Amino acid sequence: MSNDNKSNASSRLSALNSQMPELSPSQLLHSYRNRSKVDRQGLYETFYGPKWEFRNKVYDIICNNSEKFSAPYIDEHDRERTRYAAFKELHFIQKSLNMGYAEYQKDPHAFSMTSNAVYSWSPAICVKYGVHFSLYGKTLMNLGTEKHLPYIYRMMKLEDIGSFGLTEMGHGSNVRGIKTTAIYDPQSNEFIINTPEEVDMKFWIGATAQLANMTVCWAQLYVEGKCHGVHAFLVPIRNKDTHRVMPGITVGDCGPKNGLDGIDNGFMIFHNVRIPYDNLLDKFSQIENGKFKTWIESDDKRFGFQMASLSGGRVQVACNSNQNSIIAVAIAGRYSTIRKQFGAPGKPEQPIIEYPLTQYRIIPNVATAIVLQLSTITLSILWDENQKHLLDVKNTLINELHAISSAIKAISTWTAQRIITESRQILGGHGFSTFNRFGQLYNDNDVNVTWEGDNNVLLQQTGKFLLDSAKKLMKGKKLPFKCTSYISLDPAEGQQSELNSNEDFFNQGKLLKALQWRVNLLLQKTGLKMQEYMQVSKNGWDAFNNAQPFYSVELAKAFGDTWSAEQAIETISKVQNPENKRVLSDFVTLYLLETINKDIGNFRFGGYINCQQYEQIRSSILKLCNKLKDEFIAVLDALAPPDFILQAPFGASDGDIYNRYIGLIYSAKSTFKRPDWWKEVHKAHKKYHFEIDA
Amino acid sequence: MSNDNKSNASSRLSALNSQMPELSPSQLLHSYRNRSKVDRQGLYETFYGPKWEFRNKVYDIICNNSEKFSAPYIDEHDRERTRYAAFKELHFIQKSLNMGYAEYQKDPHAFSMTSNAVYSWSPAICVKYGVHFSLYGKTLMNLGTEKHLPYIYRMMKLEDIGSFGLTEMGHGSNVRGIKTTAIYDPQSNEFIINTPEEVDMKFWIGATAQLANMTVCWAQLYVEGKCHGVHAFLVPIRNKDTHRVMPGITVGDCGPKNGLDGIDNGFMIFHNVRIPYDNLLDKFSQIENGKFKTWIESDDKRFGFQMASLSGGRVQVACNSNQNSIIAVAIAGRYSTIRKQFGAPGKPEQPIIEYPLTQYRIIPNVATAIVLQLSTITLSILWDENQKHLLDVKNTLINELHAISSAIKAISTWTAQRIITESRQILGGHGFSTFNRFGQLYNDNDVNVTWEGDNNVLLQQTGKFLLDSAKKLMKGKKLPFKCTSYISLDPAEGQQSELNSNEDFFNQGKLLKALQWRVNLLLQKTGLKMQEYMQVSKNGWDAFNNAQPFYSVELAKAFGDTWSAEQAIETISKVQNPENKRVLSDFVTLYLLETINKDIGNFRFGGYINCQQYEQIRSSILKLCNKLKDEFIAVLDALAPPDFILQAPFGASDGDIYNRYIGLIYSAKSTFKRPDWWKEVHKAHKKYHFEIDA
Ligand SMILES: Cc1cc2nc3c(=O)[nH]c(=O)nc-3n(C[C@H](O)[C@H](O)[C@H](O)COP(=O)(O)OP(=O)(O)OC[C@H]3O[C@@H](n4cnc5c(N)ncnc54)[C@H](O)[C@@H]3O)c2cc1C
Ligand SMILES: Cc1cc2nc3c(=O)[nH]c(=O)nc-3n(C[C@H](O)[C@H](O)[C@H](O)COP(=O)(O)OP(=O)(O)OC[C@H]3O[C@@H](n4cnc5c(N)ncnc54)[C@H](O)[C@@H]3O)c2cc1C
């Protein structure tokens, strides 16, 4: 190339570039950030509640010791190394936190907060925590008695590592149908544990394939030939000196999974495994003189109490999934202010957030993540405060919390699937890069919809709670629950919304009323459906199942949406800072409007919302989206974890996204490598004998 | 254990098992299969069209040489080995098919059919095919001239391996905004290719990180200092002897991805790379005596024609994503007849398909997969028949196909995301096992919503086509398109559906009319919105963008739904076998009803569908679901690929699912392995110093 040509070429290039006076990526992000006047720390405390310092504590441990932590979303490890890393990091965090049994008894919510913070770094570590401390540990604490204290101490110190063996290959949701047997042998005062058929093996049991030396094994208890239902037994599964599996037990790995590579899910097969009598967790049932004894006569009730120890996990899952939503929408949101694509004819390209379509794809998701954050944190606090009453038969709050957490868990986990998917697409092709976290985020989140109660099964339970409540009302009883305060037997059909003036569409009271009305509508419809089916089939089981699609399941979701909105509104009413209050309030209004929009079929029922109102709901949504695009970056700063935790280069809070991305790509292990089999590339075609006859 | 005790225990167990007289998993699946009287081969030919034999050909090659094929969803490989396997399998299939350029010219649809069949085995291999033959190859054929024939021959024989370098890190959807430059140097009669800034590097280019020695590089052509827009240039990127990257070019790997590990997506940076004049693909533009020349004056039009070569990929993606839907729903459907969970009080557990909720979660998805199969295959045939007219300026069918394929691609790819997600959940926890394919299926499918045109951008183009059509109608012109035959300027508001009697709700004519009405409604609403915005902003660009959410984008989707239904109805009208006709027809009716149900907000507009009709639509859906649960297994047999291709043990057509699953788990490489770092497991806790003070 002649020198003339070269300088011509480069001057043309610089002319090309100067056509569009451009802000750098960082400047762009900051320009959106600076449009808002919210107080970030204030928002943070609103979002993460009274124990927010514990969140910072975890983040400090990880960020200040970054050399000890291997970014689970960025580093390329195989399964074995991922698990080892998770194991070591778990121990490091636990050691640094230095919180023991006493602290736990005093302040369970601090534990929930730390666990949720760990989740945003690495679901695998958090689940390792959860399996050991919550599932294994809490079962010990809730169902064991004095004599099991040594196990609790060892658990707390990670001297024992425990797993929770409930699910079998053949049985998950129908827990009472599990097949593993524990037969009491009066001669030796032992239990004999057996897996009847291969398909009855314990399956999916976390921390079992590699780690645990103890398990809580759930099995059908047989005494004197009679089955007394599902009970929990402590079974040592590995020798602590050799880490070999105990005789009579087969343990293995469930194999590769869609996500959560860091968790060693395993199966267990028991063949005449004998454990001493004291290994029965005997808070509810004992065997005395060879006879089965219990202080809760009803099998149903006893079963319910035993399972109560599980519900805490459900609350945690709801909180965790919303972290996934937050992370996804934070990455997409920041990116949308930086990424430019197309522009008006003759104008420079514009950031994609300037497209109303992109606003609608992002801002309502921010609103949902905010509302669910406020509702899940409230739920978590309520739950943790009431743990001590878990086994108090008279405490109706437990019923209420069970119904609420079932709905909120389903909503939060499905919402995360949806938000991650949409946010991934906001990044276009770059969302498909592992570095930007979405793939793994989706995969890790996925199981949340299934474990700790499959969503579709959980919603049936919330539906049942609401139907039972309505029945009580019909019998003239007062409901002891706060969450059902608006439930009424007045016919919902024929009522009309109070949305008339333009302002009404931004009136939270009126919008919330619409959500509550929908719960009543669906409750009445579900009740009617069940009656109809009962008349045909005379069969409560059939009627219940037939009323699920379109009715009971929708009812449960509607109830959860409404409860979430109520909590968000209540929390925000206590916010002092006026800017924070105003902005949060706008997001909640957007959530309310979008909730109506997305289920308009039910809201249009009997003309509660008419056509014109529907149109106005939609235009109000777009108005709010447009307004909130000047606030959302600042709000995301308070919602999202710090950059090192977030990991994705395209979510970096400093906006220097392309350089970070390029840096990661250039330094990945085989970026510039010629494949080992390169010689074959241009030899392979010689094997062909096509006739070319063009 | 005393012998007495032992025999007591085992007799109790067998009593327990015999309580429920059970069919084996295989018997259960067969019992559902045998309820239907459809003719499987007939269905197969309906689903896969006139070239169905080519599908079998591919399956035979793979299944009869199974030792040469590594199941991409089951075998655990690292990225490098996955790519090598895909490379070898690609060559093996290509060799076995033995189809050359002549065959391709004669019968392009046969190629589409084989490629779709390969996709169901391994998306990675199929994409390798697509990048090389369709993107690189068809660009050569469509945009090159006589002098480029040697490249075409080498491409056909895989003697060259080619890639398609359009996207840059900074530019994807806005193709015309790419920054790579090709400056014509009259002295040497060469082009000089440059990447101006790092963020302008070619990015995501398939087959580039490891394989290709050639690329089609898209760049802004500069002649005499003036930019003439985007053109395509042939650039050799690797030396075929050493497989080293050419001087002046930097090539690397884009890094780990959410899916499609078998594809080596790479980036390319050009620094003063000189290529001879003849490497311009010069069908539309040439340089003569140093002057730019073109026979299509309009930049817009020329650009449109150049891009036309891309649209074939879009059709292929639509077909491929529907394979993903089919595979997902086949696995979930078969499983649902075998998996038992819960049962009526005192009754044995029942297969989950017997729950109306499960029916509703599966059967409408089967219906959708059927309708999209019939619509995508029709589209594919139409496209392949019309390829030769691609560059015929007068052929209006090309416009039509472009608008249709944009909508259908968006619908099919999003539907697959939804169906895979729901089907995964049908399997409960077992859907989280890699062996059951869902995770990888979702991940591999994911990019389909983004590449070959991002869905949200594509829908804008369909919307624009429809708006333009309406404008033509308003000017009194007749539309030359078949797909818009029902478009009318009569006000949609105020019209009412013809759904009155019970039978009407199963009347396809009347239901289809409802779908067509919705297109008219949304078209009119979108037009109005644009007018409104125009009045405010006087700016067509703003008006267009503002009319996207709720209007133009919904319009485009509604149009795609309708076109799909039309194709399905037309295809089925030609089916001879009365059982096949009846059953397929029921599925299409279900699709029509569910399409209305899912977008009820629009259908309730102006009371086109009233409350009572809405309720009846829902009850009709549940009725059809219940009826079709006796047909769907047989239908899935015809839709789904053979077991070896399907891979997932839980989708096995013989129903022996648990044994296959257990077999895979037991034989996976590290199932029974003690972790290498086992000694640390019980040492780590010694590092703690908790105070136990309970
Ligand atoms: C990664 C992972 C880790 C896990 N960790 C543990 C662990 O540590 N310990 C442990 O004990 N378990 C664990 N589990 C198991 C988990 O709790 C179960 O997978 C879950 O309870 C669902 O049970 P299932 O998989 O058997 O699904 P099933 O109960 O068989 O459900 C299958 C499908 O049937 C539907 N269905 C079921 N019943 C009904 C009904 N009545 N009406 C309508 N539809 C119905 C469900 O919605 C679902 O779609 C884990 C699972 C996974 C995947
Ligand atoms: C695995 C993989 C393989 C690929 N292979 C190839 C290949 O071989 N060759 C090749 O050339 N390319 C390839 N691509 C690139 C692919 O074609 C692009 O990713 C795609 O065109 C989208 O462009 P983008 O990623 O730049 O997203 P962008 O165009 O930046 O879009 C980002 C977001 O902005 C939104 N948006 C953009 N414009 C508008 C608008 N006007 N209005 C509203 N919203 C808008 C989009 O909907 C999207 O959500 C590949 C990509 C991947 C991930």
Side-chain angles (χ1 to χ4, degrees), chain A residues 131 135 164-168 171-174 203-206 257 260 265 447 450-454 456-457 460 545, chain B residues 335 339 341-342 352 355 357-358 361 425-430 432:
Chain A
V131 165
L135 290 178
F164 183 84
L166 178 58
T167 304
E168 296 170 359
H171 282 90
S173 304
N174 183 15
F203 205 79
W204 287 125
I205 313 305
K257 303 189 297 284
L260 293 181
N265 292 98
V447 74
T450 296
W451 67 12
E452 300 287 347
D454 170 85
N456 280 293
V457 176
Q460 300 189 15
N545 285 315
Chain B
Y335 183 69
R339 181 66 170 188
Q341 208 72 196
F342 299 101
I352 57 175
Y355 294 102
L357 183 59
T358 310
R361 290 169 63 199
Q425 293 176 51
I426 290 290
L427 265 73
H430 299 305
F432 205 63

Side-chain angles (χ1 to χ4, degrees), chain A residues 335 339-343 350 352-358 361 422-433 658, chain B residues 127 131 135 163-175 202-208 216 218 257 259-260 263 265-266 310 447 449-458 460 541 544-545 548:
Chain A
Y335 183 70
R339 180 67 168 187
K340 294 177 187 173
Q341 207 74 196
F342 299 102
Q350 64 184 39
I352 58 174
I353 192 64
E354 294 302 326
Y355 293 103
L357 183 60
T358 310
R361 290 169 63 198
E422 185 61 279
S423 303
R424 201 295 283 150
Q425 292 175 52
I426 291 291
L427 265 73
H430 299 306
F432 204 64
S433 165
Y658 293 112
Chain B
V127 172
V131 164
L135 290 178
S163 70
F164 182 85
L166 178 58
T167 304
E168 297 171 358
M169 184 177 277
H171 283 90
S173 304
N174 183 15
V175 175
K202 292 290 169 191
F203 206 79
W204 288 127
I205 312 307
T208 296
V216 169
W218 295 79
K257 303 188 296 284
L260 293 182
I263 301 297
N265 291 100
L310 274 174
V447 74
V449 310
T450 297
W451 67 12
E452 301 286 348
D454 170 85
N455 284 2
N456 281 293
V457 175
L458 286 180
Q460 300 188 15
W541 165 262
F544 181 72
N545 285 314
Q548 293 306 314

Side-chain angles (χ1 to χ4, degrees), chain A residues 150-219:
Chain A
Y151 288 100
I152 294 181
Y153 297 154
R154 281 206 296 278
M155 178 274 298
M156 268 309 203
K157 292 196 281 182
L158 284 162
E159 227 177 285
D160 278 346
I161 298 188
S163 71
F164 183 84
L166 178 58
T167 304
E168 296 170 359
M169 184 177 276
H171 282 90
S173 304
N174 183 15
V175 174
R176 294 178 80 172
I178 58 168
K179 302 279 187 167
T180 306
T181 55
I183 298 175
Y184 179 65
D185 174 14
Q187 262 98 6
S188 60
N189 197 28
E190 290 174 327
F191 298 101
I192 311 156
I193 315 278
N194 270 296
T195 303
E197 312 263 347
E198 221 168 9
V199 73
D200 306 324
M201 66 172 84
K202 292 290 171 193
F203 205 79
W204 287 125
I205 313 305
T208 296
Q210 294 198 319
L211 277 182
N213 62 298
M214 292 298 300
T215 201
V216 170
C217 174
W218 295 81

Side-chain angles (χ1 to χ4, degrees), chain A residues 40 44 48 55-56 59 63 116-121 322-328 330-331 334 437 635-648 651-653:
Chain A
R40 198 198 113 111
Y44 185 65
Y48 291 103
R55 192 172 182 81
N56 290 8
Y59 289 156
C63 298
N116 184 244
V118 170
Y119 188 87
S120 60
W121 165 253
N322 200 50
Q323 273 301 302
N324 290 338
S325 295
I326 288 171
I327 288 167
I331 301 169
R334 287 175 180 159
R437 191 166 173 166
V635 172
L636 286 175
D637 284 344
L639 260 182
D643 287 355
F644 184 75
I645 302 293
L646 196 71
Q647 299 169 57
S653 62

Side-chain angles (χ1 to χ4, degrees), chain A residues 1 5 12 16 76 79-80 84 91 95 98 101-102 153 156-159 169-174 185 187 192 198 201 203-204 210 222 225 241-244 251-253 256-259 269 274 339 341-344 349 355-356 360-361 414 417 421 424-425 429-432 434 439 442-443 446 449-450 456 525 541 545-546 550-551 600-601 604 606 611 615 661 665-666 671-672 674 677-678 680 682 684-685 688 690 692-694, chain B residues 1 5 12 16 76 79-80 84 91 95 98 101-102 153 156-159 169-174 183 185 187 192 198 201 203-204 210 222 225 241-244 251-253 256-259 269 274 339 341-344 349 355-356 360-361 414 417 421 424-425 429-432 434 439 442-443 446 449-450 456 525 541 545-546 550-551 600-601 604 606 611 615 661 665-666 671-672 674 677-678 680 682 684-685 688 690 692-694:
Chain A
M1 198 187 206
N5 261 341
R12 273 190 301 267
L16 197 73
E76 291 182 75
R79 197 155 33 125
E80 185 75 20
Y84 183 44
H91 277 81
K95 185 179 167 182
N98 199 17
Y101 187 49
Y153 297 154
M156 268 309 203
K157 292 196 281 182
L158 284 162
E159 227 177 285
M169 184 177 276
H171 282 90
S173 304
N174 183 15
D185 174 14
Q187 262 98 6
I192 311 156
E198 221 168 9
M201 66 172 84
F203 205 79
W204 287 125
Q210 294 198 319
Y222 282 83
D241 295 325
T242 61
H243 206 63
R244 290 283 181 210
V251 171
D253 195 314
K257 303 189 297 284
N258 298 355
I269 301 171
R274 289 182 162 258
R339 180 67 168 187
Q341 207 74 196
F342 299 102
E349 288 194 306
Y355 293 103
Y360 181 60
R361 290 169 63 198
W414 274 332
Q417 284 187 333
T421 299
R424 201 295 283 150
Q425 292 175 52
H430 299 306
F432 204 64
T434 298
Y442 186 92
N443 293 338
D446 194 40
V449 310
T450 296
N456 280 293
K525 276 191 178 185
W541 165 262
N545 285 315
N546 273 300
F550 301 136
Y551 301 99
I600 192 66
R604 291 274 282 109
C611 265
E615 295 282 299
Y661 188 50
I665 290 164
Y666 283 6
T671 301
F672 297 103
R674 185 173 62 172
W677 39 279
W678 69 271
E680 291 178 50
H682 301 287
H685 73 88
Y688 302 109
F690 295 135
I692 300 290
D693 50 5
Chain B
M1 197 187 207
N5 260 341
R12 270 190 301 270
L16 197 71
E76 291 182 75
R79 196 152 37 119
E80 185 75 20
Y84 184 43
H91 277 80
K95 185 178 167 181
N98 199 17
Y101 187 49
Y153 297 153
M156 267 307 196
K157 292 196 280 181
L158 284 162
E159 226 177 285
M169 184 177 277
H171 283 90
S173 304
N174 183 15
I183 298 176
D185 175 14
Q187 262 97 7
I192 311 156
E198 221 167 11
M201 66 172 84
F203 206 79
W204 288 127
Q210 294 197 318
Y222 281 83
D241 295 325
T242 61
H243 206 61
R244 290 284 179 207
V251 171
D253 194 312
K257 303 188 296 284
N258 299 354
I269 301 171
R274 289 180 164 261
R339 181 66 170 188
Q341 208 72 196
F342 299 101
E349 288 194 304
Y355 294 102
Y360 180 61
R361 290 169 63 199
W414 275 331
Q417 283 187 333
T421 299
R424 200 296 283 151
Q425 293 176 51
H430 299 305
F432 205 63
T434 299
Y442 185 90
N443 294 338
D446 193 40
V449 310
T450 297
N456 281 293
K525 276 193 178 183
W541 165 262
N545 285 314
N546 273 300
F550 301 138
Y551 301 101
I600 192 65
R604 290 275 282 107
C611 265
E615 296 283 299
Y661 189 50
I665 291 164
Y666 283 6
T671 301
F672 296 104
R674 184 172 62 171
W677 39 278
W678 69 268
E680 291 178 50
H682 300 288
H685 74 89
Y688 302 108
F690 295 134
I692 301 290
D693 51 6

